[in-house]
Amino acid sequence: MIESSSDARVGFLAELRRENALAEYRRWSQTLAILDADTARIERELEPRARELEAAAVRSVIAQANGWSEHQLAARLHEAETARDDLPAV
C-alpha cells in the first residue's frame, strides 16, 4: 500500500490525501446539518408560500460559502443526501 512506502515523501502525500478526505467529510457533514436545521426551522416558522424562497436563500448562502454555483450545490447535495440516506453504514 502507498501508506507503507519507505519514501517519506510518498507517505506524506498519502497523509495529505487522508486529511483532505476528512476535511471533505466535515464540510459535507456540516453542510447537511445546516440544511436540516434550517429546513426544520423554515417548516416550523414560515407559511407555505414563503418556505421555498427562504430555502432557496439558505442554499444560495451555502453555495457562496463553498465557492460553487447553485447548480453545483444542487448536484452535490443530491449525492451527499443519497450517501447519507441510502448508505448509513458508510
Side-chain angles (χ1 to χ4, degrees), residues 17 19 23 28-30 32 37 40 43 63 67 74 82-84 86 90:
R17 186 184 69 215
E19 289 174 10
W28 280 109
S29 180
Q30 184 63 24
L32 291 174
E43 291 291 323
T82 299
R84 178 189 63 185
D86 296 345
V90 172

Side-chain angles (χ1 to χ4, degrees), residues 1-46:
M1 296 182 72
I2 196 86
E3 291 85 1
S4 63
S5 171
S6 61
D7 187 338
R9 297 171 301 165
V10 174
F12 180 66
L13 287 176
E15 181 182 329
L16 291 175
R17 186 184 69 215
R18 182 178 180 281
E19 289 174 10
N20 188 48
L22 287 171
E24 189 72 13
Y25 166 78
R26 288 192 304 269
R27 172 192 276 184
W28 280 109
S29 180
Q30 184 63 24
T31 297
L32 291 174
I34 290 168
L35 284 174
D36 289 345
D38 281 352
T39 299
R41 176 188 57 80
I42 289 166
E43 291 291 323
R44 220 180 25 254
E45 297 176 0
L46 299 178

Side-chain angles (χ1 to χ4, degrees), residues 61-72:
V61 168
I62 290 172
Q64 290 174 29
N66 283 293
W68 301 327
S69 70
E70 291 180 34
H71 179 73
Q72 286 173 309

